[in-house]
Amino acid sequence: LLPVPIIGNVITFLNTKRPVVTASRSITMPSAGNQFIRPKVTAHTLVAKQAKEYDALASQAMKVTPINVTKSTYGGSLSVSFQDRDWTEPAIMDLIVTDMAANYGVQTDAAACASLIAGSTVTVPLAADADAKATLAALTTAASKIGAAIFDMPDVLFVSFDQWARLASLVDSTGRQVFPFLNPMNAAGNGGHATAMEMNVLGLRVIPDANLAAGTMVMGRSELLETYESIGGQVSVVAPTTLSFTLAYYGYFASTVVESGGFVTLKPGA
């Protein structure tokens, strides 16, 4: 019998990117404890005009409230025989580790997406069939709500893939794209195209993510979504009696929205 050759790399389409995690504010995770605290000022000091000389100045205690963040462990393992390791081509070890690392990325990005959705408690109505005029009105309303809440303007728009397609296909009354790729002077931003998903909407960086459920559109200030991570990486244990070993990959991850007023969800019926 003639051997059947294996050529080229193993074909896989698992996404290794983490759009929401990449867009967030990344902070080093402390090594001690299963929880840690992020301090947040919830009551500021008070400054006011003095009524007249010698009158007491305004005074108010500053209140700092802790945000408790809980660490989570993400990982996977696989038992591999020595024969599979020694006889396979391409090397199975690299394939397994690469696949586990990619899966780790998918799961931690999904966790960050869940934190984003849970932390975005303010909503602005945007009908599923809204035209360009209504969509732009909803976007500017959302931006104004964020500005009023945090005294700063949003910088990102997190969207599911179907919402990316919706924005990219918006046209004005004459049929021209509202967010065209070529970016003419009268456009409100520039859009994605068939080979890339980069998009700018009203100055906002659009972040499409496959881990966001269909119909998701969240505007916000990116640094107010924080992610914390410590990657343990690859671990292996040999079982000599069975000529096998167990390979694992793991890491610690957590994420939280530190200011819910910094995010607005746009959805029908809000």
Side-chain angles (χ1 to χ4, degrees):
L1 295 177
L2 296 176
V4 179
I6 297 176
I7 61 170
N9 297 328
V10 175
I11 300 170
T12 177
F13 294 103
L14 190 62
N15 186 17
T16 58
K17 297 179 180 178
R18 300 192 296 178
V20 169
V21 172
T22 301
S24 69
R25 181 187 182 194
S26 177
I27 299 179
T28 302
M29 177 180 284
S31 57
N34 65 343
Q35 287 187 329
F36 55 93
I37 290 174
R38 290 285 288 123
K40 178 184 177 182
V41 175
T42 53
H44 293 273
T45 58
L46 186 63
V47 174
K49 180 181 178 180
Q50 187 182 30
K52 60 180 181 295
E53 289 183 73
Y54 294 109
D55 277 2
L57 293 175
S59 179
Q60 178 174 287
M62 174 183 282
K63 183 178 180 181
V64 178
T65 303
I67 299 174
N68 294 307
V69 183
T70 301
K71 299 178 181 179
S72 294
T73 303
Y74 292 84
S77 65
L78 183 67
S79 181
V80 181
S81 70
F82 278 25
Q83 290 87 344
D84 281 343
R85 180 195 65 180
D86 297 337
W87 296 345
T88 53
E89 183 64 35
I92 196 171
M93 290 285 291
D94 291 341
L95 177 62
I96 293 172
V97 173
T98 300
D99 197 70
M100 284 184 175
N103 268 297
Y104 170 87
V106 170
Q107 295 304 316
T108 51
D109 186 70
C113 289
S115 294
L116 171 68
I117 299 304
S120 178
T121 58
V122 180
T123 59
V124 165
L126 177 62
D129 59 350
D131 60 11
K133 182 179 179 180
T135 300
L136 290 173
L139 290 170
T140 53
T141 298
S144 69
K145 286 183 177 291
I146 293 171
I150 65 172
F151 308 108
D152 205 349
M153 300 307 290
D155 62 348
V156 291
L157 186 64
F158 298 102
V159 298
S160 54
F161 279 13
D162 66 312
Q163 294 296 73
W164 172 89
R166 173 185 181 178
L167 291 172
S169 62
L170 283 177
V171 295
D172 62 17
S173 58
T174 65
R176 296 175 301 180
Q177 272 188 293
V178 177
F179 308 114
F181 174 63
L182 295 179
N183 194 24
M185 294 301 294
N186 63 338
N190 55 57
H193 51 99
T195 61
M197 303 191 79
E198 290 83 4
M199 182 184 291
N200 174 290
V201 171
L202 297 177
L204 301 168
R205 185 163 49 103
V206 177
I207 310 294
D209 197 311
N211 283 312
L212 292 172
T216 299
M217 185 182 295
V218 180
M219 183 186 297
R221 189 75 191 176
S222 58
E223 68 262 28
L224 298 180
L225 170 65
E226 295 185 351
T227 54
Y228 324 88
E229 185 172 41
S230 176
I231 298 178
Q234 176 185 336
V235 179
S236 61
V237 177
V238 175
T241 56
T242 59
L243 288 180
S244 65
F245 63 95
T246 299
L247 184 66
Y249 189 96
Y250 79 101
Y252 306 124
F253 186 84
S255 61
T256 188
V257 169
V258 296
E259 174 51 64
S260 61
F263 296 90
V264 170
T265 298
L266 296 102
K267 62 180 181 180

